[in-house]
Amino acid sequence: MTKDAIALTPRMPDIRTIAGALLAAGPELRLQSLADGAVVQLCDDAGRPLLSVEAPVLVEVPGETRRLLGPQADARTPLWWTEARASTAVTGGERLAAAFAGHLARHLDGTTWPPDAADVPDAPLDGTATVAPAPAAAQPAVDVLTDRVAVVIQERPVIAMTTWLSDVLRACVGSNRALQIVSPAGSRLSLPTRLALSGPPHRWVIRDDAGGYHDGLSGAQLHWRDGAFRPVEGAGPTEAFLGADATDERQLLLSFRTCHPAEEQLVLGGALESAWRALTGSLPVGWGTAEPVGSPWSRQEITALARGRAPDGTWLVVVGGQDRPAHATMRVARTRDGVEEDISLVVGGTDGDLPPADRLRALADELTSRYGLRNLLVQRRSARGDLTVPARLEALPVPLAFAVGPAEVDEIGLDRARRPPLGPAPHTLGAAAAPGFYYELGDGTSAAGWAHLEQLMRHLRNPVGGPPKL
């Protein structure tokens, strides 16, 4: 049984029901509310939190619960997702979280994850339970806190960028700490979590059956030293990491930035919507500021949220339908040039599912003509079609194409931009009077694509007027 548990219920758990479930686990303990009621905690007499409960999230997107919790999860929609996490400093914390989720499920006709949490009866916390002193127990989401890192233990099938994990990451950045997620070898990362763990100092730590540790993204052997998981000097990747099987599954990755004038009539999300349609034949299904994604796709709602948060930025997760895996993250920021959308979109399938080259060029032209494209990188890789990231060696993505929009061409210089150092002449994008350019780099199967991209970038980064924002 894990330290965290989730109740999936067709009815919304109100604060009275949540409080009842918490007090059933510890009637002699006390409750406190944090983050304007978004988090409720069960605490001991000294104020140290034993169990933290996030505000219920309404999930209206079909397939979202099974994407993150596996095929055994309740697939009904809409559902309320209520998540509880016990402090690892509490003896019997697993039972505490499970009892809470089970109580909600029984009273609201729902189910739980893990499924056996539903069978855990209401059971007050043993009065002899011990709790570690602060700061290790200051936040149940964090299992170990040092001057260097915050360690979070996760035992889910898919480690998602939930609201609480996003909060931990934000706190780590603000305190100059690294986030290190520890999980068993069978866990996988969702795309948003993978993008957040973009490299040191953040790390995904795999705990193997023999009690050793290695990096889930690089395979480097790790040990605990000086308050953090660090690579073992002189040790290579583990055999478990390198022993990956060949697959015919593929991913197509698009990373692009657009910029729009900051006008009242601006509606965000058009560039992502067009790319989604071009690559999958359909539109996004849902969006949210964390996982699980709860809201049906709506450009108007996304725009209202971003406008309400301005001048601060907005980060979003977007998912597609169950028939064709497609996920994206989108960051909206107000800059001196206007409103920028920075998008990472990944589509899964096989070679036969991936769009042909002419469709990618047509998409780049549409993004340039309608959405103020700044730059675009298209890559292809052999990897899981469901877009989750296993703790096994996967092939690096190989560049297919790169594009720059008119604003970047102005900074590069028209003559330099239209004459790449090698390969065919670029395709012109947008209006002839203010063009962008689309550079083909290969077929996405040869590592030579990286050499072509490197040469092209050196060429474009040495313009007359200074470097473009690539």
Side-chain angles (χ1 to χ4, degrees):
M1 197 173 294
T2 65
K3 293 285 185 178
D4 46 342
I6 300 165
L8 303 170
T9 60
R11 290 184 285 152
M12 178 182 178
D14 58 24
I15 189 63
R16 186 183 300 273
T17 306
I18 291 174
L22 285 168
L23 292 175
E28 302 302 322
L29 304 175
R30 61 189 179 89
L31 302 179
Q32 68 179 14
S33 176
L34 303 174
D36 297 324
V39 179
V40 177
Q41 289 184 335
L42 184 69
C43 303
D44 67 2
D45 290 339
R48 293 171 297 197
L50 311 178
L51 186 71
S52 178
V53 178
E54 298 285 332
V57 175
L58 178 61
V59 179
E60 299 181 88
V61 179
E64 189 67 354
T65 54
R66 289 190 171 177
R67 177 176 75 88
L68 300 177
L69 300 178
Q72 78 280 6
D74 195 335
R76 293 175 293 173
T77 52
L79 277 178
W80 290 91
W81 173 301
T82 308
E83 187 162 335
R85 181 172 176 84
S87 169
T88 51
V90 181
T91 302
E94 303 95 332
R95 188 176 184 84
L96 189 63
F100 169 84
H103 181 99
L104 282 190
R106 286 190 294 275
H107 283 74
L108 298 175
D109 303 318
T111 60
T112 65
W113 182 91
D116 57 2
D119 301 325
V120 177
D122 295 343
L125 188 69
D126 186 346
T128 62
T130 58
V131 182
Q139 169 52 263
V142 175
D143 296 293
V144 178
L145 185 68
T146 74
D147 291 339
R148 299 177 182 273
V149 301
V151 177
V152 173
I153 299 173
Q154 284 278 269
E155 297 185 2
R156 304 187 188 190
V158 176
I159 301 171
M161 187 49 64
T162 57
T163 300
W164 66 262
L165 188 57
S166 179
D167 288 343
V168 171
L169 178 59
R170 191 178 304 111
C172 285
V173 173
S175 61
N176 293 317
R177 288 183 172 91
L179 171 62
Q180 297 190 335
I181 299 174
V182 179
S183 76
S187 295
R188 290 168 280 127
L189 301 182
S190 71
L191 173 65
T193 306
R194 170 64 185 92
L195 293 175
L197 299 178
S198 55
H202 306 309
R203 193 180 294 279
W204 182 25
V205 180
I206 300 301
R207 182 183 64 250
D208 62 37
D209 294 337
Y213 298 91
H214 66 270
D215 191 294
L217 299 176
S218 70
Q221 296 183 45
L222 305 173
H223 60 171
W224 183 261
R225 182 179 177 184
D226 297 331
F229 282 102
R230 301 175 181 275
V232 177
E233 188 174 350
T238 64
E239 290 298 324
F241 178 81
L242 296 175
D245 298 326
T247 176
D248 63 351
E249 296 175 286
R250 302 288 185 266
Q251 295 178 2
L252 187 69
L253 304 85
L254 272 68
S255 301
F256 58 99
R257 180 183 296 124
T258 64
C259 188
H260 319 273
E263 300 172 340
E264 184 64 30
Q265 63 269 27
L266 173 64
V267 180
L268 299 171
L272 177 57
E273 190 174 85
S274 291
W276 209 289
R277 185 188 293 110
L279 301 185
T280 71
S282 60
L283 296 181
V285 172
W287 73 280
T289 56
E291 295 178 289
V293 168
S295 300
W297 174 250
S298 170
R299 292 178 58 192
Q300 289 72 24
E301 291 181 6
I302 289 172
T303 303
L305 175 68
R307 183 171 285 128
R309 291 185 171 185
D312 293 335
T314 298
W315 181 84
L316 305 172
V317 181
V318 184
V319 300
Q322 301 175 66
D323 55 334
R324 183 71 185 278
H327 302 157
T329 62
M330 182 170 78
R331 190 178 301 277
V332 180
R334 182 72 168 88
T335 71
R336 64 181 183 180
D337 296 325
V339 180
E340 289 191 354
E341 294 175 288
D342 199 344
I343 297 167
S344 295
L345 168 61
V346 184
V347 178
T350 62
D351 281 329
D353 298 324
L354 302 183
D358 58 350
R359 194 184 305 170
L360 294 172
R361 291 195 300 268
L363 170 60
D365 187 68
E366 181 180 7
L367 295 176
T368 302
S369 302
R370 298 183 57 190
Y371 300 109
L373 179 71
R374 289 300 179 93
N375 52 70
L376 163 71
L377 177 62
V378 183
Q379 301 177 87
R380 177 183 179 276
R381 70 184 305 201
S382 297
R384 291 178 64 105
D386 66 5
L387 309 183
T388 60
V389 181
R392 305 285 290 274
L393 178 65
E394 288 192 313
L396 291 174
V398 177
L400 275 169
F402 183 75
V404 289
E408 268 59 41
V409 170
D410 283 345
E411 296 181 13
I412 295 166
L414 181 59
D415 287 342
R416 177 177 290 272
R418 63 161 41 121
R419 292 184 173 87
L422 51 78
H427 299 271
T428 301
L429 305 175
F437 292 106
Y438 183 89
Y439 308 90
E440 294 183 342
L441 303 171
D443 61 3
T445 62
S446 170
W450 280 112
H452 295 164
L453 178 62
E454 182 181 0
Q455 289 177 305
L456 175 64
M457 297 302 288
R458 281 203 305 264
H459 176 77
L460 298 180
R461 283 174 169 167
N462 189 30
V464 175
K469 293 184 290 183
L470 301 177

